[in-house]
Amino acid sequence: MSEIQRRWHEDGKPRPYTATATFGGVVWACGQVPTKADGSTPETLGDQVDTVFDNLEKVLADAGADLSRVLKVTVFLADFDEFDEFNAAYLNRFVGLTLPPRATVQVARFRGAKRIEMDVVAAAK
């Protein structure tokens, strides 16, 4: 397997997983939540989606990929009643790009104010 990149908490403590793994030119990004660098979580779901994408774009860039190379997206939503708000924010991040296949599921028990998590599989450049 190629080198696995590690991402650390802002407080310097290691996470029990890596941000991405790359093998055979494919990048698997771990689930990203709507936590900003300062530790805050945006209030609205639309803003949470934007923060998740910001986090995904960072880990993808670190692994040599970007949103234009995403092959598959998995979305975990706290409440399917918010699907339309989620979908509008999601589509805004893919303007001008081919939409990848996506699975969206409702889950329970996010920590704190978080209402979404996404992971992706992408082709490395």
Side-chain angles (χ1 to χ4, degrees), residues 65-116:
D66 59 40
L67 288 181
S68 72
R69 304 184 64 80
V70 170
L71 303 170
K72 173 75 168 70
V73 178
T74 305
V75 180
F76 306 95
L77 281 179
D79 187 349
F80 251 59
D81 288 341
E82 297 180 311
F83 182 84
D84 290 339
E85 182 181 358
F86 151 73
N87 203 48
Y90 177 91
L91 292 172
N92 282 337
R93 293 305 279 260
F94 281 103
V95 170
L97 302 175
T98 301
L99 290 173
R102 178 180 84 190
T104 307
V105 296
Q106 181 172 318
V107 298
R109 302 203 43 142
F110 280 110
R111 292 191 306 172
K114 297 171 188 75
R115 298 186 345 244
I116 186 167

